[in-house]
């Protein structure tokens, strides 16, 4: 029996209808025809040739080749169930118990055999362990010592995989969170990476994929330069392919690993693509990932990631509000898009979803919103500054150190657009004090310093600030990921006629 046949037989009516409707919505007509035929046949399943004929009308070699491609493709589409309903097999445990209690051992074992095969394939450890326990006890009762030991050994292996998955999540939650330490020694950094790297070639696919994601996320979280290396780009591409290829593998409910990998890839694209290409790529990435349904209950991370990318894009390419009337003369289509994103931020911020545990994400979304405000009128720029200053005061007891450089970059830009040199100086002092000894985002840090040195030169005409500005300008020329800051500094030097 083919894997897709086994999956469809094991689905209850709810999950079958969920999968069927998903295929309808995706216009997957042939997969829909295939699963409908399988469901119709029930446990008296057709052999492959006859199922091919039922779907294609013929079982000749040409159609058989297409049929097996369809079978493989349709099984991969069960990723919808794995991601939205990772416990979709578990009701079968109760069904097996019911058959046993009615004295229907052969039927119970028939279901158990099919269930164990699929549970192991999709790495539904909970279900697989439950069936192995059933088999182990059955072997003990029937005095089959060898089989009983074999089943218990397999249970130990699956429990080990479950334990490793939990250890990876535990390690990530302890070490990769906004409230944790953000500045590490090389030795500490290597310890983190080594912890994940040792599971890279684990026998379990879910362990492999989760550890590889955690490795890349660690580089990103700690602002390590290796995150932007070609090696990491290749790893993210390979990880994306492997997640797509093995989308049927079960992960924890409400963990959107594919989305998180997409976000890491987008961080690279910001520095590599021009503005039109980035816009298309960002939109395509978000749209191709149908949002997992659990997001209805929480702050919608996919939506916020998309808004973050858009804010970064517009600030990167239109961050020239210090020029006279620059924001007022932005292209009409740019203003329209910025207006749309501002409204979207306002709608999310107004939702009753911000509980006490979401302070950091609330602050982050406000900073994204203020980024869009900086591209508006003088009044909107003032509003952005007031909002950010209020956040820094009202949430000063909350640990959000990893957002400091982003918040202060937005603040410094706002003060600069308003030609408020005193505000810039005070803001810079606070930034240096609050971020001393911590790891910073290089682009934000250089942007902050560039604005400060430019402002100080404009205010004092002292040569020392020209030299400092030229030093970081040179630094941007030596780092490809700082090319946008390089353009900004070059424009400020030219516009304000800063001497070389």
């Amino acid at each position: 029996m083919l894997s897709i046949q086994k999956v469809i037989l094991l689905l209850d009516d709810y999950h079958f209808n969920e999968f069927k409707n998903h295929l309808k919505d995706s216009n997957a007509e042939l997969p829909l025809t295939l699963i409908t035929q399988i469901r119709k046949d029930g446990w008296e399943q057709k052999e492959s040739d006859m199922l091919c004929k039922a779907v294609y009308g013929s079982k000749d070699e040409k159609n058989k080749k297409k049929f097996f491609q369809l079978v493989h493709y349709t099984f991969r589409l069960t990723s919808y169930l794995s991601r939205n309903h990772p416990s979709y097999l578990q009701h079968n445990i109760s069904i097996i118990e019911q058959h046993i209690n009615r004295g229907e051992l052969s039927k119970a074992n028939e279901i158990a055999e099919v269930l164990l095969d699929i549970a192991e394939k999709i790495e539904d450890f909970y279900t697989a362990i439950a069936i192995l326990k059933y088999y182990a006890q059955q072997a003990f009762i029937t005095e089959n010592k060898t089989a009983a030991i074999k089943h218990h050994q397999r249970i130990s292996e699956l429990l080990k995989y479950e334990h490793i998955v939990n250890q990876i999540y535990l390690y990530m939650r302890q070490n990769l969170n906004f409230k944790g330490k953000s500045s590490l020694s090389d030795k500490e950094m290597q310890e983190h990476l080594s912890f994940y790297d040792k599971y890279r070639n684990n026998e379990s696919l879910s362990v492999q994929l989760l550890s590889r994601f955690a490795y890349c996320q660690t580089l990103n979280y700690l602002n390590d330069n290796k995150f932007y290396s070609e090696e990491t780009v290749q790893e993210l591409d390979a990880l994306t392919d492997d997640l797509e290829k093995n989308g049927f593998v079960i992960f924890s409910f409400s963990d959107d690993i594919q989305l998180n990998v997409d976000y890491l890839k987008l961080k690279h694209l910001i520095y590599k693509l021009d503005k039109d290409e980035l816009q298309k790529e960002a939109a395509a990435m978000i749209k191709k990932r149908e949002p997992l349904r659990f997001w209805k209950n929480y702050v919608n991370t996919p939506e916020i990631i998309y808004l973050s990318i858009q804010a970064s894009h517009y600030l990167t390419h239109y961050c020239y509000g210090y020029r006279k009337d620059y924001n007022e003369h932005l292209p009409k289509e740019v203003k329209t898009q910025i207006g749309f994103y501002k409204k979207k931020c306002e709608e999310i911020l107004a939702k009753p979803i911000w509980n006490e545990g979401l302070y950091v994400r609330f602050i982050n979304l406000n900073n994204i919103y203020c980024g869009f405000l900086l591209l508006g009128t003088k009044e909107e720029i003032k509003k952005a500054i007031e909002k950010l200053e209020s956040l820094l005061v009202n949430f000063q007891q909350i640990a959000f150190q990893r957002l400091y450089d982003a918040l202060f970059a937005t603040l410094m830009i706002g003060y600069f657009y308003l030609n408020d040199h005193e505000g810039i100086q005070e803001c810079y002092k606070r930034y240096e004090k609050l971020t001393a000894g911590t790891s910073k985002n290089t682009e934000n840090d250089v942007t902050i310093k560039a604005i400060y040195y430019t402002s100080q030169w404009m205010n004092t005409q002292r040569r020392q600030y020209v030299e400092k500005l030229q030093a970081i300008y040179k630094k941007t020329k030596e780092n490809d990921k700082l090319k946008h800051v390089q353009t900004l500094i070059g424009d400020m030097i030219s516009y304000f006629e800063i001497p070389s």
Side-chain angles (χ1 to χ4, degrees):
M1 196 185 299
L2 300 167
S3 292
I4 189 60
Q5 290 175 293
K6 295 177 181 179
V7 170
I8 299 305
L9 289 175
L10 293 169
L11 297 180
D12 59 16
D13 288 342
Y14 171 79
H15 290 104
F16 176 74
N17 287 326
E18 282 283 290
F19 188 41
K20 182 176 71 174
N21 290 333
H22 170 67
L23 296 181
K24 281 182 181 178
D25 293 341
S26 305
N27 296 316
E29 295 181 5
L30 282 174
L32 180 60
T33 300
L34 175 62
I35 69 163
T36 302
Q37 183 61 53
I38 292 171
R39 192 72 169 184
K40 178 181 176 183
D41 293 338
W43 283 89
E44 301 300 322
Q45 282 295 297
K46 292 181 172 64
E47 295 295 326
S48 297
D49 281 1
M50 296 310 295
L51 187 55
C52 174
K53 185 176 181 180
V55 174
Y56 285 100
S58 169
K59 57 178 181 176
D60 59 30
E61 288 303 313
K62 182 179 178 181
N63 280 322
K64 281 171 69 175
K65 183 178 180 181
K66 291 193 294 184
F67 171 74
F68 284 112
Q69 290 173 338
L70 173 65
V71 164
H72 179 69
Y73 174 64
T74 306
F75 182 72
R76 284 180 60 184
L77 292 178
T78 62
S79 59
Y80 174 80
L81 292 171
S82 294
R83 299 181 75 210
N84 287 287
H85 306 280
S87 61
Y88 71 87
L89 293 179
Q90 291 178 18
H91 69 281
N92 288 285
I93 298 168
S94 177
I95 292 174
I96 290 170
E97 292 169 353
Q98 293 169 39
H99 282 299
I100 287 293
N101 290 332
R102 289 197 295 263
E104 299 165 353
L105 180 62
S106 60
K107 184 59 180 176
N109 284 347
E110 180 184 17
I111 297 172
E113 180 183 356
V114 172
L115 181 58
L116 180 60
D117 179 60
I118 296 302
E120 292 240 32
K121 192 181 294 289
I122 69 174
E123 300 201 358
D124 179 354
F125 297 133
Y126 178 90
T127 302
I129 289 169
I131 298 305
L132 286 165
K133 286 180 179 179
Y134 162 74
Y135 273 141
Q137 192 60 22
Q138 186 177 99
F140 172 74
I141 292 171
T142 58
E143 299 184 4
N144 188 342
K145 175 184 174 182
T146 302
I149 292 173
K150 178 183 176 182
H151 294 316
H152 281 297
Q153 287 173 335
R154 182 57 179 161
I155 289 171
S156 293
E157 290 176 0
L158 297 186
L159 285 171
K160 179 184 69 176
Y161 298 148
E162 262 204 326
H163 177 70
I164 293 172
V165 167
N166 186 64
Q167 287 300 105
I168 292 174
Y169 276 118
L170 174 61
Y171 199 90
M172 290 174 70
R173 302 306 178 244
Q174 287 178 327
N175 297 290
L176 303 183
N177 62 79
F178 279 108
K179 298 178 182 179
K181 188 164 80 170
S182 59
S183 179
L184 298 177
S185 67
D186 289 342
K187 181 181 178 182
E188 289 174 311
M189 177 73 167
Q190 194 54 49
E191 285 175 357
H192 284 336
L193 297 178
S194 296
F195 175 83
Y196 301 121
D197 209 33
K198 65 185 176 184
Y199 300 119
R200 176 178 293 273
N201 297 313
N202 192 273
E203 297 90 344
S204 163
L205 273 172
S206 55
V207 170
Q208 283 183 34
L209 296 169
L210 184 60
S211 65
R212 289 165 60 193
F213 160 69
Y215 185 96
C216 295
Q217 174 64 351
T218 299
L219 294 174
N220 167 58
Y221 172 81
L222 295 171
N223 294 320
D224 192 275
N225 287 330
K226 289 196 292 292
F227 176 73
Y228 294 97
S229 69
E230 189 58 34
E231 182 182 8
T232 302
V233 176
Q234 292 172 1
E235 170 63 1
L236 287 171
D237 286 339
L239 185 53
T240 298
D241 291 342
D242 289 340
L243 283 167
E244 291 279 359
K245 196 186 312 177
N246 302 290
F248 50 82
V249 170
I250 296 286
F251 289 99
S252 296
F253 182 56
S254 73
D255 188 12
D256 202 343
I257 291 179
Q258 287 183 318
L259 175 78
N260 290 325
V261 173
D262 280 349
Y263 172 65
L264 296 182
K265 290 178 70 176
L266 280 173
K267 287 197 71 172
H268 281 275
L269 296 178
I270 289 173
Y271 301 108
K272 290 188 173 183
L273 301 181
D274 65 32
K275 60 183 180 181
D276 293 329
E277 290 175 322
L278 178 65
Q279 286 288 82
K280 291 176 183 177
E281 192 68 27
M285 275 191 176
I286 297 300
K287 288 178 181 177
K288 80 175 180 180
R289 298 272 184 250
E290 181 181 0
L292 299 191
R293 294 166 69 174
F294 73 82
W295 286 121
K296 294 177 181 178
N297 305 280
Y298 307 106
V299 176
N300 192 322
T301 300
E303 197 168 29
I304 293 177
I305 286 174
Y306 181 64
L307 288 169
S308 173
I309 293 294
Q310 297 304 322
S312 177
H313 163 76
Y314 282 104
L315 283 173
T316 295
H317 295 286
Y318 300 99
C319 188
Y320 302 100
Y322 50 81
R323 286 176 167 268
K324 184 176 174 57
D325 300 328
Y326 178 83
N327 285 1
E328 286 78 358
H329 294 110
L330 286 173
K332 183 178 179 180
E333 63 273 15
V334 171
K335 283 187 176 182
T336 299
Q337 283 299 310
I338 291 171
F340 170 80
Y341 294 129
K342 282 189 291 192
K343 184 178 179 182
K344 180 61 67 175
C345 289
E346 290 166 352
E347 290 173 355
I348 300 173
L349 288 168
K351 289 181 179 180
I353 53 178
W354 302 101
N355 61 46
E356 291 185 0
L358 299 174
Y359 292 133
V360 174
R361 277 188 277 181
F362 179 74
I363 294 167
N364 183 44
L365 180 56
N366 269 284
N367 191 47
I368 293 169
Y369 175 51
C370 290
F372 289 121
L373 289 177
L374 292 184
L375 299 165
T377 64
K378 295 293 184 185
E379 288 306 312
E380 286 181 307
I381 296 170
K382 290 177 183 177
K383 179 181 177 181
I385 291 173
E386 291 170 1
K387 184 174 286 290
L388 291 175
E389 292 286 12
S390 175
L391 288 172
L392 287 168
V393 171
N394 294 333
F395 292 97
Q396 58 184 310
Q397 302 303 319
I398 304 299
F400 61 98
Q401 287 86 349
R402 284 190 48 76
L403 288 178
Y404 278 153
D405 55 69
L407 286 169
F408 278 102
T410 308
L411 259 180
M412 291 284 282
I413 292 170
Y415 280 123
F416 193 53
Y417 284 3
L418 297 180
N419 200 32
D420 184 348
H421 299 296
E422 184 177 340
I424 290 173
Q425 186 173 15
E426 179 59 32
C427 189
Y428 184 74
K429 286 180 182 178
R430 283 183 291 157
Y431 168 71
E432 286 291 287
K433 180 180 178 181
L434 290 171
T435 62
T438 65
S439 177
K440 308 168 190 175
N441 176 281
T442 304
E443 183 176 9
N444 288 333
D445 187 58
V446 174
T447 300
I448 288 169
K449 285 180 167 58
I451 290 173
Y452 175 68
Y453 297 148
T454 301
S455 168
Q456 287 296 96
W457 178 83
M458 291 170 65
N459 201 35
T460 68
Q461 299 291 301
R462 290 178 184 171
R463 180 70 191 177
Q464 68 187 77
Y465 295 111
V466 174
E467 293 171 355
K468 289 182 177 181
L469 184 62
Q470 289 295 341
I472 62 168
Y473 190 34
K474 180 181 178 182
K475 180 179 178 181
T476 63
K477 294 178 179 179
E478 297 168 352
N479 188 335
D480 287 341
K481 75 173 186 172
L482 295 177
K483 61 183 179 181
H484 298 307
V485 187
Q486 177 189 339
T487 302
L488 173 65
I489 296 175
D491 188 78
M492 290 193 298
I493 290 172
S494 173
Y495 185 73
F496 294 111
E497 298 180 350
I498 300 173
S500 59

